[in-house]
Amino acid sequence: MKTLIQQVKGTREFYPSQMEIRRWLYSKIEEVSIRYGYQEYDGPFLEKIELYAAKSGEELVKEQAFVFPDRGGDLITLRPELTPSLARMVAEKQNELVYPIRWWSFGPFWRYERPQKGRTREFFQWNIDLIGADSPEADAELVAICASFLRTIGITPDQVKILVNHRKLVDQELFALGIESDLKKEVFHLIDRHEKMKKEDWESSAKEMGLTQQQIVGVVEIMQDKELWRKSPELIRVFSALESLGVSEYVAYDPKIIRGLDYYTGIVFEAWDVGGDGRAALGGGHYDNLVGDVGGKPLAGVGFAMGDVMITLLLEKYNKLPVSSQYKDCVLVTVFDESLLTSSLTFAAELRKNGIKTIFYPEIAKLQKQLKFADRLGIHTAIVIGPDEENLGNLAIKDLPHGTQEVVKRSEAIDKIKHLLAQQSRV
RNA sequence: GUGGCUGUAGCUCAAUGGCAGAGCAUCGCACUGUGGAUGCGAGGGUUGUGGGUUCAACCCCCAUCAGCCACCCCA
């Protein structure tokens, strides 16, 4: 064991049972994305560092990206997010695309960070964006997609809530307190971190960045005002749209939601475990000028990203992960001895020809061992062809969950097995 | 990048500084034409690695590596 080369820190190994979950997640994401009329796309996994340098969060690129020189000396980055690539892809074909664009993607991303609960260095992310529309109803659509997804995977509104806020509203409120420009950015950050900090620490940091006592009180009032959204014409329309879309039970207004990324200019939202701990399972918002940063004409949009790690933890916590079913509908054809190997092999082929998932025991072993193998894999049906059956042109069909066995004519076996599999799948 | 906790059999974990163990798993037998159950037995370890203290180290000290958790940031 000691000679095994360790895997790269924070990377993921997907054993079949985990791969099954990953594919299931992908299928649910696809289902919801398609239901809302979105098209799948993808960008490169490798990008030049310059693509991210202009925007994103400063730290996201400088400290959290995997960067290495290629043979030509260019600095190459393993993509830490998809949005800049998306912006470029839109800019490249800006005049031929039909707006609004509805695109989604699911793929791997890398961030050079210290792994911990809910965070790895290699992860999969669902990105979904509506670009070229600039209305509260467009914003609401993305929140609704998020809610529909939660509903589709079996997460209920009392388990996970989507918390919504609007940056223009916060801007306006902070402006009223005399907080603007650089200081505003710092206060955004402070609001974002409020939940994690002790009250005294929070207040002392607020003072440190130069807020007056009056301003601090004002910020605290903003953070506690659950009715503040009524001052935002945009949010009023967003919540009204969400009501019409039938997902408002999943949504709540929260004045503390800000988000770290600088490019959000309108609605911002995150999905949180109501049980409190952990981190946001998903986050997104509205941006005014995404495409402009990479050289296109300004184009507004709204989108969100969801990582596979946190959502899987939530599914696990609420016991909503799919139950493995890989071998339920599979038939094991056992091998009795060398003289009957060909007979079993032939029958296995016949099963497959009829579209039945079939495993052939690949060597001669005790029946006991072969049946134990079937049991361990969760196979429900086993075929035994021994001398007694073979001589009469029969074979034995074992129903493992019921512990029963039926000897039938080989010519009738396929129909019997199909019937049995159909019965078992109903259980 | 900063801090805390933990590294003992394949897995989960025991073991006052004094002979390294259990449960589960694996393999074998009871049971050479039938899985889950039961009983009996077997294999499996340089106690993460390197140094130090000691008559004696899984245990104490130092370093290092790895894992987990938190901070930072974020999916």
Side-chain angles (χ1 to χ4, degrees), chain A residues 7 16 27 37 58 140 157 178 204 220 235 259 262 276 288 296 335 368 388:
Chain A
Q7 72 185 100
S27 75
E58 286 282 295
S204 63
V220 171
L235 282 182
R259 301 197 49 69
D262 294 339
D288 279 336
V335 182
Q368 192 177 193
D388 297 346

Side-chain angles (χ1 to χ4, degrees), chain A residues 170-229:
Chain A
V170 184
D171 276 351
Q172 173 192 312
E173 292 299 305
L174 292 182
F175 184 80
L177 291 170
I179 300 168
E180 310 175 60
S181 60
D182 284 357
L183 190 56
K184 184 191 86 181
K185 237 175 155 179
E186 283 187 68
V187 174
F188 268 10
H189 192 216
L190 198 62
I191 295 174
D192 200 36
R193 294 197 319 156
H194 180 261
E195 298 289 270
K196 282 189 175 177
M197 295 173 76
K198 281 191 221 139
K199 203 179 168 218
E200 310 89 71
D201 293 344
W202 189 87
E203 280 177 6
S204 63
S205 334
K207 262 181 205 154
E208 240 170 78
M209 62 180 65
L211 293 184
T212 66
Q213 191 58 40
Q214 203 184 352
Q215 286 172 327
I216 293 175
V217 172
V219 172
V220 171
E221 274 172 12
I222 291 171
M223 291 191 303
Q224 290 169 345
D225 190 354
K226 295 281 181 194
E227 299 300 319
L228 195 63
W229 61 275

Side-chain angles (χ1 to χ4, degrees), chain A residues 25-43:
Chain A
L25 198 62
Y26 197 161
S27 75
K28 295 295 168 188
I29 285 167
E30 179 177 38
E31 181 187 326
V32 174
S33 301
I34 288 175
R35 201 192 300 156
Y36 278 81
Y38 285 66
Q39 295 177 290
E40 190 174 10
Y41 75 103
D42 207 348

Side-chain angles (χ1 to χ4, degrees), chain A residues 51-61 80-81 84 261-263:
Chain A
L51 180 70
Y52 306 102
K55 36 173 294 341
S56 304
E58 286 282 295
E59 181 163 344
L60 196 102
V61 182
E81 59 163 336
L261 295 173
D262 294 339
Y263 52 70

